[in-house]
Amino acid sequence: MKGKHTKRAFSGDRMFDMGVTVLAACVVGIVLVPLLFVLAASFSDPDLVVRGKVLLFPKGFTLKAYQMVFENKDIWKGFRNTCFYTVAGTAISVALTVLAAYPLSKKDLPGRNILMMLILFTMYFSGGMIPTYLLVKDLGMYDTVWALLIPAAISTYNLIVAKTFFENSIPTEVYESARLDGCNNLAMLPKIVLPLSKAILAVLVLYYAVGIWNAYFDALIYLRNSDLHPLQIILRNILLLGQTEQMGTNDVGMAEKIKMAEAIKYSAIVISSIPMLILYPFVQKYFVKGVMIGAIKG
Amino acid sequence: MKKKYKKIRKYAGLYIMLAIPFLWYIIFKYIPMYGLQIAFKRFNPTLGITKSPWVGLTYFKQFFDSYYFGNILWNTVSLSLFTMLVGFPMPIILALLINEIKNTKFQKVVQNITYMPNFLSVVVIVSMLTLFSNRDYGLFNKIGALFGAAPVDFMAKPAWFQPLYVFSNVWQYMGFNAIIYIAALASVDQELYEAASIDGASRMQKIIHISLPCIMGTIIIMFIMRIGSLMSVGFEKVYLMQNSVTLSASEVISTFIYKNGIQKGQFSYSTAVGLFNSVINFTLLMLANFVSKKATKTSLW
Amino acid sequence: MKKSISKKKERKAWTTVLCTAISVAMLSGSLPVRADGNEINKEGFPISDETITMTVYGQRDQNQAEWKDMFFLQKYEEMTNIHLDYQEVPADGFSENKQLLFASNELPDIFLRASLNANEVSMYGVGSGQLMILDDLIAEYAPNLTKIFEENPSMKQACMSADGHIYTIPFIDMSATGKMDFKQWINTKWLENLNLEIPTTLDEFKEVLIAFRDQDPNGNGENDEIPMGIREPSSVYALGGSFGLQHQMRDTYNIDDGKIHNWLCDDEFKNYLIWLNDLYSEKLLWQDYYKNDRPVWRANLSGELFGAMYMPYSDVFLNCEEDYSGYEPLIGPTGEKFWADGKSGVETGTFALSNTCSNPEAAIRWVDYFFSEEGGLFFAFGEEGTHYTFNEEGIPVFNDEILNAEEGFMTALGKINMVPGGGFPCLRTDETSGVVASERTQEASKILEPYLPNVYYDKPAVSTENMDRVVAIEQDLNTYRDEAVTKFIIGEWDFDMWDEYCATLEQIGIRDLEEIYQEALDAIK
């Protein structure tokens, strides 16, 4: 990604560089300020945060919020669950996606266009919540971890990205020579294709992992047992408590919970966001390449 | 005949692979579609989906007759268009900008910082917006005051709902969405730039005449995909940003369905509204793909 | 599905009145009745000699322990010999879960704390028949509830659905605090600091607010006081008593002589809004009241920043409760003293049976106990000695380790019973109301009690045919009304817009709605 364009330095060129630098610095500033706010707020006295006294630096520095998060059993339970859902769910999703994307990337596969149409169609039409819910119940997945792993396993968008990658990144000659060596289509996937596809795997892992990490809606609907709840449900509970709570008798006893919630809001945000922020640099190397080939149609 | 047999044999392995994900599509996507019929029925749980009585287009009519129908439709379309108009070019511009940074370290820093908000949850984004909009101490008003603007409570003005939504979206996704264009730019043949330099082209000219055309394919594909979701506005964020004062500008189809359907049990009604929404989205996608195919020879399939 | 209790809990020597009562009842147990193969006793405990198992579905509040671990349920299981399998759903996402449960038609035996509202009863009771009609069961197996209904016919009416049947058993609050939702509070410390009296009229009230605004009543030198606080935009409708606006059916209705009238287009309401608009523009009314921002509201409350405000209970501002006091309703333009925000004391939908309930008789007997004074006390306070003692005045008071529990009072209480979160089918009286209402709150309620409407109506259930219409109209109407009213108050709209506002309400169908409710109300009379 280097911008080595020319060695001749025009004065206009230098002006341009300065403009670029200033502009880029502005963008970084705009992006960074709110993030720093969250970080600062997580280390600050919650009362000062609500009253808007905190901006970029912690006021009334305290680690109490973090201590409370670490002591909160629900958050840890959710954290563990989410880790499991993310790892298992990503594995299943990536496997299924590759199994679909690779055959569909073969332009000579009979019936390919019809199959693609059928798949695209589901991006726009779905049976809606009740039939899906009934199905999940009938399959015995209700209130089990499977409800979060299977029904939403494939994202059609990711499938298209993967398909496009396979179409464009693996030269036909590779297939031809493999075939001459007696390798059939089935064996080609693990032997030839996957080793060449680290980039797209990185893309799929990142997309699915982030999606599963941040998802909560399926859990809301399919899981009754709070021991199975992912972090986002618990987080939503804490962060949205103030907004969603009903009036009237339900106010009884809310005050205590809310005080706690106010105090740990920002630290919970920080802790819940960190794993995904850490994941990215690990896959980044492959990711950029994968995204590129996945999206450009040759 | 023999040829056909040979062909099937050749592809048998591929079909076996396809079988598993395709079974998934059939079970989890196609089987539930029978449920769409409740849009035309008065759903009664004891009778089940298939046996509930038909009521024709009653629920569609109810939606079209609703006082807020025009309003909701307009909000959905305008919010989506606005998001697209601003949100679509920004990552491209950012990618071009990052591509022009010569200092590789700085380039990395800019890129790595701008993608970060992508990982924040919507809840966080909305609570930050609320804080920043506060009339007395909010960040926005503090900045506004520097330019002599009178304090405004942004979250409470219907007119500000859309800009807030759109620009916070840009803020959150700009960096991440730019990755794809950055990657595309990196693959542009460097010789093109060198040749242009020899011709005396300025940096700006090179961007316009080399960089942009080279990533046009990517841009168009992304654009078509975007059109197909024109009518689907992110539900959660709108839902969280709404308050009673801004409803006239903030009620969109997805929030409407959620409030009526899943929260109030009006399943038939909300299915009808959802179906209406899907049909429009699908039509738009087909249209965009068709136009693109004719005009640029680029298409989704 | 049947499970017998494997481990019988060791019997301790209970010396409570409660247990004596039970054992007496056991001895005098009458003839068993047969129901679905399970014999149940018509009176006393245990309800059945053989263990009966049933499934219970409901919403678990954040403060509640898991139901299987909750004290009163465990104890009551021993007493009744009815074992319950709990399918409890957390509050977050409960309404979604409930709708899908009905949609899938795989129902539990019992709905407990499922807050079934009138629409749901109409859909799933009258409409699809998934809820069981309870009229006869109550008459036969619920003597305590029957007694309450006989003494308070309006409470029975409140429980009836559009078809005249009862589908759900309510929570009944007969205490003074339960007769109204919002109580009005004023900061007496500030009044003292400024040498002011508690206001009695709207004009005096405004003068006090102005003083609160300008004279730094909390004496911190900062202009941080908020003279008047309203919690959210929808609360506005409940607080117009001084202008003669009732809050019948917990909505924008007056009911006089059995006639329903929606006052959203009335001049009285307009005057009320003009008054509020005046307070708002003078910065007397909390400037952020319309944002539904509970965290900020709470921070302001516990930070003692409000001069006058409205809250149902003082638990959010317990820290500065002593500085606030209730006061009589303000005299309005017509000279009337009236507190509009009444409640019938009946919260319907807290308990229901599905049409597939395996033992309805036992289930009804199970719940009826909580409508006796003894059962109400057992539910609210647990066990004498272990959890509470009676003070000199004979009022139950929790033990110290519960009141001052390190984990918080409500969390501690949530291990004993379902008071945190509310919505449990039982009887609450003045004696047991102390479990949720502080003394201050009870005083504030007693001051307002004489000024409540004579009769208070709940929203009558409408027929299934009218359901769709009501939902559609109310959806639009409430959206429009909340938006318009807020705009009037905060001055975004001028009052020239009033006619247009009224015309829009008419167009949406405000009068049709009135008619449908009138019809429904007449039907249950």
Side-chain angles (χ1 to χ4, degrees):
Chain A
M1 259 183 289
K2 282 196 181 164
K4 269 190 237 157
H5 304 316
T6 169
K7 278 168 191 160
R8 274 190 285 171
F10 300 98
S11 67
D13 211 36
R14 184 162 287 157
M15 282 289 284
F16 190 86
D17 273 336
M18 261 188 20
V20 165
T21 312
V22 170
L23 207 58
C26 285
V27 172
V28 168
I30 289 169
V31 172
L32 218 49
V33 165
L35 295 176
L36 289 176
F37 162 76
V38 174
L39 201 62
S42 73
F43 288 106
S44 300
D45 179 350
D47 268 355
L48 295 174
V49 177
V50 173
R51 293 212 219 117
K53 307 281 183 207
V54 175
L55 194 52
L56 293 183
F57 301 101
K59 290 249 169 72
F61 183 88
T62 169
L63 288 173
K64 189 130 194 307
Y66 283 95
Q67 194 194 335
M68 283 167 82
V69 170
F70 281 109
E71 281 167 5
N72 188 315
K73 271 187 238 130
D74 286 342
I75 292 183
W76 284 117
K77 202 161 63 184
F79 206 92
R80 276 199 305 274
N81 288 339
T82 294
C83 286
F84 168 74
Y85 293 131
T86 307
V87 172
T90 305
I92 293 173
S93 295
V94 171
L96 282 175
T97 307
V98 169
L99 280 181
Y102 168 66
L104 288 171
S105 72
K106 302 276 184 185
K107 286 188 172 146
D108 48 349
L109 184 80
R112 172 178 178 266
N113 277 334
I114 296 166
L115 291 177
M116 267 324 280
M117 275 305 281
L118 282 174
I119 285 172
L120 278 173
F121 187 74
T122 63
M123 273 177 105
Y124 295 91
F125 293 92
S126 72
M129 209 163 276
I130 311 171
T132 316
Y133 176 83
L134 294 177
L135 180 74
V136 170
K137 262 201 153 166
D138 289 344
L139 292 173
M141 290 178 175
Y142 184 79
D143 216 13
T144 70
V145 294
W146 300 109
L148 296 199
L149 301 178
I150 306 294
I154 302 179
S155 143
T156 303
Y157 179 85
N158 292 351
L159 174 60
I160 294 172
V161 171
K163 186 202 81 155
T164 318
F165 178 93
F166 290 132
E167 276 170 11
N168 297 319
S169 71
I170 300 168
T172 7
E173 300 88 66
V174 176
Y175 291 132
E176 289 307 322
S177 62
R179 186 160 292 124
L180 290 177
D181 292 345
C183 198
N184 67 16
N185 273 321
L186 200 59
M188 226 179 282
L189 182 65
K191 279 193 195 144
I192 312 288
V193 179
L194 286 185
L196 286 173
S197 308
K198 285 198 192 92
I200 192 62
L201 291 179
V203 173
L204 292 178
V205 165
L206 190 74
Y207 277 177
Y208 279 123
V210 171
I212 298 173
W213 188 273
N214 286 326
Y216 75 89
F217 197 72
D218 282 354
L220 198 70
I221 286 177
Y222 297 131
L223 297 183
R224 189 155 55 201
N225 184 351
S226 53
D227 284 344
L228 299 177
H229 277 174
L231 182 63
Q232 290 299 324
I233 291 262
I234 288 146
L235 205 60
R236 195 181 106 114
N237 246 330
I238 293 169
L239 296 177
L240 291 183
L241 197 61
Q243 278 96 327
T244 55
E245 145 205 9
Q246 296 296 302
M247 53 185 298
T249 46
N250 287 332
D251 248 9
V252 174
M254 270 294 173
E256 282 170 13
K257 285 283 163 191
I258 278 152
K259 255 195 182 153
M260 196 271 301
E262 281 306 307
I264 66 172
K265 254 184 188 181
Y266 292 98
S267 52
I269 289 166
V270 172
I271 287 180
S272 71
S273 308
I274 279 176
M276 286 300 108
L277 286 172
I278 290 176
L279 175 67
Y280 182 71
F282 280 107
V283 292
Q284 190 186 25
K285 206 173 101 196
Y286 306 105
F287 181 77
V288 173
K289 193 176 156 225
V291 159
M292 177 186 75
I293 309 176
I296 302 169
K297 209 154 170 214
Chain B
M1 220 34 212
K2 213 174 175 187
K3 209 172 157 193
K4 202 170 184 183
Y5 173 74
K6 217 178 152 191
K7 206 171 172 187
I8 288 172
R9 247 189 76 114
K10 183 181 166 198
Y11 292 109
L14 294 178
Y15 285 121
I16 290 170
M17 273 184 235
L18 254 180
I20 303 169
F22 221 77
L23 197 67
W24 181 89
Y25 267 101
I26 288 169
I27 293 176
F28 289 100
K29 294 288 177 183
Y30 278 93
I31 287 181
M33 274 190 205
Y34 79 98
L36 282 177
Q37 57 182 293
I38 66 169
F40 309 95
K41 287 180 160 181
R42 183 191 296 275
F43 176 58
N44 179 333
T46 33
L47 300 175
I49 288 173
T50 39
K51 285 188 189 135
S52 289
W54 292 96
V55 291
L57 297 174
T58 309
Y59 290 107
F60 290 90
K61 217 175 144 284
Q62 187 183 330
F63 181 51
F64 299 144
D65 285 347
S66 156
Y67 175 77
Y68 276 95
F69 169 68
N71 192 257
I72 291 171
L73 196 65
W74 169 244
N75 285 343
T76 311
V77 173
S78 63
L79 185 60
S80 193
L81 276 177
F82 190 7
T83 312
M84 193 161 86
L85 230 58
V86 182
F88 191 76
M90 282 309 269
I92 304 174
I93 294 168
L94 181 68
L96 291 170
L97 179 71
I98 289 175
N99 194 48
E100 292 300 323
I101 298 173
K102 284 184 176 164
N103 181 331
T104 1
K105 247 193 196 144
F106 186 49
Q107 196 180 38
K108 274 258 151 60
V109 169
V110 175
Q111 209 189 326
N112 285 343
I113 286 178
T114 46
Y115 82 73
M116 277 163 70
N118 177 67
F119 298 100
L120 294 183
S121 80
V122 177
V123 179
V124 182
I125 306 276
V126 175
S127 51
M128 288 191 325
L129 280 177
T130 313
L131 259 158
F132 294 169
S133 301
N134 188 289
R135 179 153 53 183
D136 301 323
Y137 47 70
L139 183 70
F140 298 155
N141 280 313
K142 276 186 179 164
I143 294 169
L146 294 180
F147 299 97
V152 179
D153 186 349
F154 295 96
M155 288 292 267
K157 301 279 179 225
W160 280 101
F161 175 82
Q162 294 205 345
L164 274 186
Y165 177 92
V166 169
F167 286 106
S168 58
N169 246 19
V170 169
W171 178 81
Q172 188 174 10
Y173 301 118
M174 168 176 73
F176 200 74
N177 290 345
I179 291 173
I180 198 168
Y181 302 112
I182 293 171
L185 282 169
S187 69
V188 175
D189 192 346
Q190 293 302 317
E191 281 172 20
L192 289 174
Y193 291 111
E194 270 150 35
S197 299
I198 290 161
D199 291 347
S202 74
R203 294 271 291 276
M204 206 60 206
Q205 282 171 325
K206 278 190 260 181
I207 292 176
I208 292 167
H209 296 293
I210 301 171
S211 305
L212 260 181
C214 285
I215 58 171
M216 212 42 168
T218 314
I219 294 176
I220 289 172
I221 287 287
M222 296 305 283
F223 192 70
I224 298 172
M225 302 279 269
R226 188 64 195 74
I227 295 265
S229 54
L230 187 65
M231 290 278 286
S232 33
V233 177
F235 152 76
E236 228 200 357
K237 190 168 170 190
V238 177
Y239 187 65
L240 289 176
M241 280 178 70
Q242 280 177 343
N243 58 43
S244 58
V245 199
T246 58
L247 266 186
S248 64
S250 64
E251 189 81 302
V252 296
I253 291 181
S254 56
T255 53
F256 188 81
I257 291 176
Y258 189 76
K259 288 178 190 168
N260 277 288
I262 194 77
Q263 282 190 334
K264 290 193 185 154
Q266 304 270 305
F267 289 116
S268 289
Y269 184 41
S270 61
T271 307
V273 178
L275 188 60
F276 166 77
N277 198 15
S278 300
V279 169
I280 292 192
N281 267 337
F282 194 65
T283 316
L284 285 171
L285 176 81
M286 300 300 272
L287 212 67
N289 197 47
F290 176 78
V291 170
S292 162
K293 207 171 194 169
K294 285 275 151 238
T296 67
K297 303 268 185 290
T298 314
S299 80
L300 278 177
W301 54 82
Chain C
M1 283 293 280
K2 242 174 226 183
K3 252 192 275 171
S4 63
I5 317 168
S6 52
K7 45 174 183 179
K8 282 239 156 118
K9 291 256 164 73
E10 253 183 85
R11 293 221 171 237
K12 290 183 200 163
W14 308 111
T15 53
T16 55
V17 185
L18 192 139
C19 273
T20 326
I22 296 161
S23 44
V24 170
M26 271 198 283
L27 289 172
S28 65
S30 61
L31 286 174
V33 257
R34 216 157 227 300
D36 287 8
N38 278 97
E39 283 183 2
I40 75 156
N41 303 318
K42 260 197 107 174
E43 275 172 29
F45 290 120
I47 289 174
S48 165
D49 298 328
E50 251 175 84
T51 305
I52 295 173
T53 300
M54 282 188 276
T55 50
V56 176
Y57 172 86
Q59 177 189 357
R60 179 158 70 90
D61 186 75
Q62 293 226 352
N63 278 303
Q64 293 170 359
E66 282 187 42
W67 289 0
K68 66 175 166 49
D69 301 328
M70 199 177 269
F71 167 80
F72 96 100
L73 288 171
Q74 287 183 342
K75 180 81 183 102
Y76 196 49
E77 178 172 334
E78 271 177 42
M79 284 158 61
T80 55
N81 207 10
I82 292 178
H83 174 76
L84 299 175
D85 282 331
Y86 303 107
Q87 308 173 345
E88 70 235 61
V89 179
D92 191 26
F94 175 74
S95 58
E96 290 86 347
N97 195 294
K98 174 171 60 175
Q99 307 295 349
L100 289 168
L101 181 90
F102 278 108
S104 71
N105 201 26
E106 280 171 34
L107 304 174
D109 291 315
I110 297 172
F111 293 92
L112 179 69
R113 282 194 95 247
S115 41
L116 299 162
N117 63 32
N119 287 355
E120 283 155 5
V121 169
S122 186
M123 272 191 287
Y124 304 128
V126 186
S128 64
Q130 288 166 293
L131 297 177
M132 190 180 275
I133 294 176
L134 305 177
D135 306 29
D136 297 341
L137 285 163
I138 291 173
E140 193 154 350
Y141 296 97
N144 295 316
L145 187 60
T146 307
K147 195 168 143 239
I148 295 172
F149 279 167
E150 274 165 8
E151 285 162 11
N152 307 277
S154 70
M155 289 191 167
K156 186 174 184 185
Q157 256 173 31
C159 297
M160 287 198 296
S161 185
D163 59 357
H165 290 302
I166 295 175
Y167 289 90
T168 72
I169 286 176
F171 160 62
I172 294 179
D173 192 343
M174 293 206 179
S175 68
T177 41
K179 287 195 178 121
M180 66 202 81
D181 193 27
F182 279 116
K183 287 94 193 169
Q184 56 176 357
W185 305 82
I186 196 157
N187 193 322
T188 45
K189 193 169 111 189
W190 291 10
L191 288 174
E192 263 167 50
N193 289 350
L194 302 179
N195 267 325
L196 293 167
E197 296 289 316
I198 286 181
T200 56
T201 65
L202 292 174
D203 292 338
E204 285 176 30
F205 184 64
K206 190 180 167 189
E207 277 164 32
V208 166
L209 295 182
I210 291 173
F212 281 168
R213 182 190 64 191
D214 299 336
Q215 299 179 25
D216 190 24
N218 64 8
N220 66 352
E222 266 182 69
N223 188 13
D224 56 355
E225 292 89 352
I226 305 167
M228 172 182 171
I230 289 182
R231 194 172 58 184
E232 65 257 298
S234 54
S235 306
V236 166
Y237 310 110
L239 304 173
S242 300
F243 292 81
L245 305 169
Q246 299 170 25
H247 195 232
Q248 293 284 3
M249 319 197 298
R250 304 208 58 67
D251 207 339
T252 60
Y253 293 91
N254 277 1
I255 302 184
D256 294 307
D257 306 322
K259 222 175 138 6
I260 293 184
H261 174 68
N262 191 326
W263 43 252
L264 279 175
C265 301
D266 289 7
D267 281 345
E268 285 82 6
F269 184 52
K270 188 179 174 185
N271 291 334
Y272 174 48
L273 290 183
I274 292 172
W275 181 71
L276 283 173
N277 168 248
D278 178 48
L279 294 185
Y280 190 87
S281 59
E282 297 232 24
K283 303 212 170 192
L284 298 174
L285 173 59
W286 184 33
Q287 301 288 296
D288 288 344
Y289 87 95
Y290 56 83
K291 284 195 205 150
N292 277 319
D293 197 339
R294 289 285 177 96
V296 178
W297 165 257
R298 261 180 232 102
N300 289 340
L301 268 179
S302 54
E304 206 180 336
L305 294 181
F306 289 121
M309 48 76 186
Y310 308 87
M311 272 299 272
Y313 294 100
S314 62
D315 62 333
V316 186
F317 57 101
L318 222 46
N319 58 323
C320 51
E321 183 192 43
E322 291 302 312
D323 295 341
Y324 289 90
S325 154
Y327 57 109
E328 292 186 0
L330 300 167
I331 299 170
T334 53
E336 231 182 322
K337 247 187 178 179
F338 178 62
W339 188 247
D341 196 20
K343 283 203 295 194
S344 62
V346 178
E347 188 187 329
T348 57
T350 58
F351 181 95
L353 303 180
S354 71
N355 61 353
T356 52
C357 179
S358 61
N359 200 328
E361 296 83 4
I364 293 293
R365 281 222 54 205
W366 185 90
V367 73
D368 186 56
Y369 176 62
F370 299 107
F371 289 93
S372 65
E373 292 209 359
E374 176 192 298
L377 183 65
F378 166 62
F379 168 72
F381 282 87
E383 202 164 49
E384 192 182 357
T386 325
H387 302 122
Y388 72 96
T389 48
F390 287 102
N391 68 6
E392 306 91 62
E393 288 142 49
I395 289 170
V397 181
F398 280 114
N399 293 348
D400 254 2
E401 62 264 33
I402 296 170
L403 276 181
N404 302 314
E406 203 184 319
E407 54 198 333
F409 168 62
M410 281 298 171
T411 310
L413 190 57
K415 289 180 180 165
I416 301 170
N417 59 30
M418 296 189 186
V419 169
F424 182 83
C426 67
L427 173 68
R428 182 179 290 160
T429 59
D430 274 326
E431 189 195 24
T432 50
S433 74
V435 70
V436 291
S438 69
E439 248 168 76
R440 263 305 207 237
T441 307
Q442 295 185 37
E443 279 165 27
S445 318
K446 293 238 164 77
I447 295 174
L448 292 172
E449 200 183 347
Y451 305 102
L452 284 168
N454 296 330
V455 196
Y456 189 84
Y457 296 89
D458 275 316
K459 228 168 217 180
V462 301
S463 60
T464 326
E465 305 87 72
N466 281 331
M467 256 320 285
D468 287 345
R469 186 114 183 83
V470 166
V471 171
I473 296 177
E474 280 192 344
Q475 169 81 25
D476 289 351
L477 188 81
N478 292 353
T479 308
Y480 182 75
R481 135 199 121 168
D482 285 348
E483 191 180 346
V485 164
T486 307
K487 282 182 172 167
F488 280 127
I489 294 176
I490 67 175
E492 201 131 294
W493 278 4
D494 209 65
F495 281 91
D496 327 340
M497 293 283 287
W498 185 259
D499 290 338
E500 195 186 318
Y501 155 81
C502 291
T504 309
L505 289 178
E506 302 274 350
Q507 193 193 332
I508 292 173
I510 186 172
R511 299 300 159 218
D512 299 350
L513 198 62
E514 221 173 63
E515 234 169 79
I516 293 172
Y517 279 129
Q518 185 71 56
E519 207 177 287
L521 192 70
D522 293 343
I524 47 174
K525 270 192 174 162

